[in-house]
Amino acid sequence: MNENFYIKHQDHLKLNVLLKDKINFENAMTRKQLPFYSEVKEQAFLDGGIRYFILETDRQKVDSLLIENDIVASTETIPNQDFRDIKKFYKVYAWVAVSIVVLIVLALIIEFIVFND
Protein backbone atom coordinates (compact mmCIF):
# COMPACT_ATOMS: atom_id res chain seq x y z
CA MET A 1 0.00 0.00 0.00
CA ASN A 2 1.15 3.52 -0.71
CA GLU A 3 2.80 5.31 2.21
CA ASN A 4 0.61 8.41 1.61
CA PHE A 5 -2.73 6.65 2.05
CA TYR A 6 -3.38 8.86 5.07
CA ILE A 7 -4.20 11.72 2.69
CA LYS A 8 -7.57 10.12 1.89
CA HIS A 9 -8.58 10.51 5.54
CA GLN A 10 -7.61 14.16 5.87
CA ASP A 11 -8.95 17.31 4.27
CA HIS A 12 -8.01 16.60 0.66
CA LEU A 13 -8.56 17.57 -2.94
CA LYS A 14 -9.34 14.99 -5.64
CA LEU A 15 -7.54 15.76 -8.84
CA ASN A 16 -7.82 13.87 -12.14
CA VAL A 17 -4.71 13.94 -14.32
CA LEU A 18 -4.71 12.63 -17.88
CA LEU A 19 -2.79 9.41 -18.41
CA LYS A 20 -0.35 11.10 -20.80
CA ASP A 21 0.62 13.59 -18.05
CA LYS A 22 1.00 10.99 -15.29
CA ILE A 23 4.81 10.77 -15.35
CA ASN A 24 5.30 14.54 -15.56
CA PHE A 25 2.85 15.15 -12.73
CA GLU A 26 4.29 12.55 -10.38
CA ASN A 27 7.84 13.69 -11.15
CA ALA A 28 6.99 17.34 -10.45
CA MET A 29 5.18 16.43 -7.21
CA THR A 30 8.16 14.38 -6.05
CA ARG A 31 10.63 17.17 -6.90
CA LYS A 32 8.55 19.68 -4.91
CA GLN A 33 8.23 17.11 -2.09
CA LEU A 34 4.43 17.33 -2.09
CA PRO A 35 2.70 14.18 -0.80
CA PHE A 36 0.02 12.59 -2.95
CA TYR A 37 -1.91 9.35 -3.14
CA SER A 38 -2.83 7.73 -6.45
CA GLU A 39 -5.78 5.41 -7.01
CA VAL A 40 -4.52 4.02 -10.31
CA LYS A 41 -4.78 0.39 -9.15
CA GLU A 42 -8.33 0.79 -7.85
CA GLN A 43 -9.68 2.58 -10.93
CA ALA A 44 -11.52 0.51 -13.51
CA PHE A 45 -11.28 3.04 -16.32
CA LEU A 46 -8.53 5.57 -16.91
CA ASP A 47 -10.16 7.52 -19.74
CA GLY A 48 -11.22 10.27 -17.32
CA GLY A 49 -7.74 10.51 -15.88
CA ILE A 50 -5.94 9.07 -12.90
CA ARG A 51 -7.40 10.14 -9.56
CA TYR A 52 -4.95 11.72 -7.14
CA PHE A 53 -5.61 12.76 -3.56
CA ILE A 54 -3.71 15.87 -2.50
CA LEU A 55 -3.76 17.67 0.82
CA GLU A 56 -5.94 20.77 0.79
CA THR A 57 -3.08 22.74 2.34
CA ASP A 58 -0.97 22.06 -0.79
CA ARG A 59 -3.62 23.27 -3.20
CA GLN A 60 -1.88 26.53 -4.19
CA LYS A 61 1.44 24.78 -4.69
CA VAL A 62 -0.16 22.13 -6.88
CA ASP A 63 -2.00 24.78 -8.93
CA SER A 64 1.24 26.58 -9.69
CA LEU A 65 2.96 23.26 -10.40
CA LEU A 66 0.28 22.36 -12.96
CA ILE A 67 0.66 25.72 -14.68
CA GLU A 68 4.46 25.61 -14.70
CA ASN A 69 4.60 22.12 -16.19
CA ASP A 70 1.66 22.56 -18.61
CA ILE A 71 -0.20 19.57 -17.15
CA VAL A 72 -3.90 19.08 -17.87
CA ALA A 73 -5.84 18.24 -14.71
CA SER A 74 -9.37 18.65 -13.39
CA THR A 75 -11.60 18.01 -10.44
CA GLU A 76 -14.46 15.53 -10.32
CA THR A 77 -17.07 18.15 -11.19
CA ILE A 78 -15.26 19.56 -14.22
CA PRO A 79 -14.28 16.96 -16.84
CA ASN A 80 -10.81 17.29 -18.23
CA GLN A 81 -10.08 17.65 -21.89
CA ASP A 82 -6.85 18.47 -23.54
CA PHE A 83 -7.84 21.07 -26.09
CA ARG A 84 -4.45 20.76 -27.74
CA ASP A 85 -5.43 17.24 -28.85
CA ILE A 86 -8.79 18.46 -30.14
CA LYS A 87 -7.02 21.23 -32.08
CA LYS A 88 -4.79 18.61 -33.73
CA PHE A 89 -7.85 16.56 -34.67
CA TYR A 90 -9.51 19.56 -36.32
CA LYS A 91 -6.34 20.33 -38.30
CA VAL A 92 -6.34 16.79 -39.70
CA TYR A 93 -10.08 17.03 -40.37
CA ALA A 94 -9.58 20.31 -42.25
CA TRP A 95 -6.75 18.86 -44.36
CA VAL A 96 -8.87 15.84 -45.29
CA ALA A 97 -11.85 18.04 -46.19
CA VAL A 98 -9.71 20.35 -48.35
CA SER A 99 -8.07 17.36 -50.05
CA ILE A 100 -11.45 15.86 -50.93
CA VAL A 101 -12.68 19.17 -52.35
CA VAL A 102 -9.50 19.55 -54.44
CA LEU A 103 -9.83 15.99 -55.78
CA ILE A 104 -13.47 16.61 -56.73
CA VAL A 105 -12.57 19.86 -58.50
CA LEU A 106 -9.72 18.12 -60.38
CA ALA A 107 -12.06 15.30 -61.40
CA LEU A 108 -14.62 17.81 -62.69
CA ILE A 109 -11.95 19.70 -64.65
CA ILE A 110 -10.62 16.47 -66.21
CA GLU A 111 -14.15 15.34 -67.05
CA PHE A 112 -14.91 18.71 -68.66
CA ILE A 113 -11.72 18.58 -70.75
CA VAL A 114 -12.06 14.92 -71.83
CA PHE A 115 -15.76 14.86 -72.66
CA ASN A 116 -16.01 18.28 -74.38
CA ASP A 117 -13.54 17.41 -77.15
Side-chain angles (χ1 to χ4, degrees), residues 77-95:
T77 57
I78 303 171
N80 57 355
Q81 292 182 347
D82 190 355
F83 293 107
R84 295 170 294 193
D85 290 341
I86 294 172
K87 187 177 175 182
K88 291 176 189 175
F89 170 75
Y90 282 124
K91 281 184 180 178
V92 171
Y93 181 77
W95 277 107

Side-chain angles (χ1 to χ4, degrees), residues 68-106:
E68 289 170 6
N69 293 297
D70 200 25
I71 297 173
V72 177
S74 69
T75 60
E76 290 182 326
T77 57
I78 303 171
N80 57 355
Q81 292 182 347
D82 190 355
F83 293 107
R84 295 170 294 193
D85 290 341
I86 294 172
K87 187 177 175 182
K88 291 176 189 175
F89 170 75
Y90 282 124
K91 281 184 180 178
V92 171
Y93 181 77
W95 277 107
V96 169
V98 168
S99 299
I100 290 173
V101 169
V102 167
L103 288 174
I104 290 173
V105 168
L106 286 175

